[in-house]
Every structure is written in C-alpha cells, then in structure tokens.
Amino acid sequence: MRKLIAGNWKMNGLASSLAEIAALKGLTGTATCDIVVCPPFTLIEKAVAESRGSAILVGAQDCHAQSTGAYTGDVSADMLAEIGAHFVILGHSERRSAYREADAAVAAKATAAHKAGLTSIVCLGETREEREDGRAIDVVRAQLEGSVPEGATSSNTTIAYEPVWAIGTGLVPTIEQIEETHAAIRQALEGRMGYDGRHVRILYGGSVKASNAAAIFAVPNVEGALVGGASLKASEFAGIISAAV
Ligand code: PGA
C-alpha cells in the first residue's frame, strides 16, 4: 500500500513557517508516498497555495460536526474543503483530553468530514496506565468501534495509532508492540468493513523521527506516520518521508 506521511503542526506556525512547505517541496519532488501537512486553521489556505504544483496535500487538525450554525469559534468541514484542505485529523489525544472529546463526537465529526469530501485521520491510542495494565489493545479497539462512523471506507478514512505516552516524549513502543496493536486494528477494521478494511491505511504516531522511521515503516500494517514535532522542520520531515519507500 502507498504510504502516507502526515505532519501535525499543532498550534505552531505563523506565515513565516510557510517557508518550510516551500523547502519541503524542493526536498520531496521524487517522493513515492503521499504527503500531508496539517498547519493551524489560519495557515491552511496559504499552505494550499504554497504547495500547489507539488505532491503535498493540506489537512486541518479538527472540524465541527455541523456544517453551519451557532458554534462560536468553530470551523466546519465544508469550510475546510472550500479552502482546499483534503484531510482532517480527528480525535487527537490532545483534543480527547483537553476538550473531553468522546468517541461519539469524533465519529460525528468524521461523518461531517466525509460528507464534505475530506479524508479523516482518526486517532486512537492508550495511556501509559492502560498499556501497563495490559489493556492497550482493548482500549484501542473500543475507540475504533466508537470513533469510526458508518460510511467509513478505505478512501475516506485513515487511522492513526498514537500511544498517548509516546506523543512528544521521545518514547516509542517496541516494534513488537506496534506490530501487535496495528494487527489488532487491522482485524477490527476488517470486522467492521469487510474486505475494504484491508485497504484502510493505519499510521503510527508518537515521537517519529528521521532516525527511527525506517524501522517503524518496516512493521506489517504500518502504512505511514502522523508526525508532530519532527514535521515542523522541512529537513527532518523530509528525512521521514524518504524512509517511506
Ligand atoms: P510527536 O506528536 O511526533 O511530536 O510525538 C505526534 C502527534 O501528536 O501527532
């Protein structure tokens, strides 16, 4: 399966950061994977313009479940599609914990994203405590069941497995842990979607860097990465992209 490398800038980036996209264009001209950059809302339209003529696509980091209405401060999937976004990250652990986003809310957002023609990147992942208690696989399966909506297909949905304890910490699960969890996600996707579940891309996320990317990409059922800190600098992000052959 063609790999997908997505960069999540989180709440980082002013207009000057678009220089990283310009640099990334130059560094990834021959890349054989799909590349997505998810800057903050304020930079999406500019990032779309900056990446024109390259293989780089642009995504958002969240959207609302409704397409319009009295939701002060929110942004809908239709608004994102209109300005050229192709992807939206949903249910990131930072939103699940800081804004108490539950699985059902993530599923509703994903439905809205699909209706607007966006591909959702639905994030799943256990906490350290859940991993230590031996509940990681159960937690991830339950999140998948609740967060992936009816109507999800391999063309409108990507999964990102991101152990909460690996995000921004420099800690990475063992290759065996990644393999076991991704296999469980694949099995659950096939249970949910039948044959099409085999074609949903499952990304790994959490402290991915140019130096550990190749080993992670060699794991069965890992079809790319969702990258936070290491996506902010074009040179480091390009190193991850070049590992995704
Ligand atoms: P990190 O973040 O790569 O900085 O660990 C990943 C993410 O939060 O998507």
Side-chain angles (χ1 to χ4, degrees):
M1 223 184 293
R2 190 175 163 92
K3 289 194 170 48
L4 188 158
I5 312 300
N8 172 12
W9 285 13
K10 309 192 180 183
M11 198 174 73
N12 297 292
L14 297 170
S16 57
S17 312
L18 295 166
E20 298 301 325
I21 297 181
L24 193 63
K25 261 164 93 166
L27 291 167
T28 58
T30 57
T32 53
C33 60
D34 293 329
I35 304 166
V36 180
V37 173
C38 302
F41 288 133
T42 48
L43 292 181
I44 289 174
E45 199 164 7
K46 290 191 176 85
V48 168
E50 187 65 59
S51 57
R52 203 155 278 141
S54 78
I56 301 167
L57 292 173
V58 178
Q61 302 168 19
D62 185 37
C63 71
H64 196 275
Q66 301 298 323
S67 54
T68 56
Y71 302 102
T72 303
D74 278 311
V75 171
S76 75
D78 296 297
M79 294 170 183
L80 297 172
E82 187 185 59
I83 58 170
H86 283 90
F87 288 80
V88 59
I89 298 170
L90 295 173
H92 189 281
S93 72
E94 285 152 18
R95 297 205 61 87
R96 287 179 186 265
S97 69
Y99 303 100
R100 303 200 199 298
E101 276 187 20
D103 292 336
V106 177
K109 290 178 175 198
T111 298
H114 300 161
K115 270 199 205 134
L118 302 177
T119 298
S120 57
I121 302 178
V122 177
C123 302
L124 318 170
E126 82 285 359
T127 62
R128 174 187 287 280
E129 194 188 6
E130 289 162 344
R131 170 62 68 182
E132 285 169 357
D133 288 353
R135 292 189 287 131
I137 302 272
D138 288 345
V139 166
V140 166
R141 270 208 203 104
Q143 286 177 337
L144 185 140
E145 202 43 54
S147 312
V148 174
E150 284 300 312
T153 67
S154 60
S155 23
N156 65 21
T157 303
T158 295
I159 301 295
Y161 167 57
E162 299 204 300
V164 177
W165 51 274
I167 295 176
T169 58
L171 300 173
V172 179
T174 64
I175 292 298
E176 291 72 25
Q177 287 170 331
I178 296 176
E179 183 166 352
E180 185 193 23
T181 314
H182 278 240
I185 292 171
R186 175 71 61 213
Q187 198 183 36
L189 287 168
E190 286 181 27
R192 253 316 265 282
M193 304 179 183
Y195 184 73
D196 191 39
R198 288 190 199 180
H199 299 115
V200 176
R201 287 192 281 205
I202 309 173
L203 315 183
Y204 168 78
S207 298
V208 177
K209 304 180 282 239
S211 59
N212 62 17
I216 293 170
F217 294 154
V219 177
N221 293 304
V222 173
E223 285 96 23
L226 181 55
V227 183
S231 71
L232 295 171
K233 280 268 151 252
S235 53
E236 179 73 13
F237 195 45
I240 295 171
I241 290 163
S242 65
V245 279

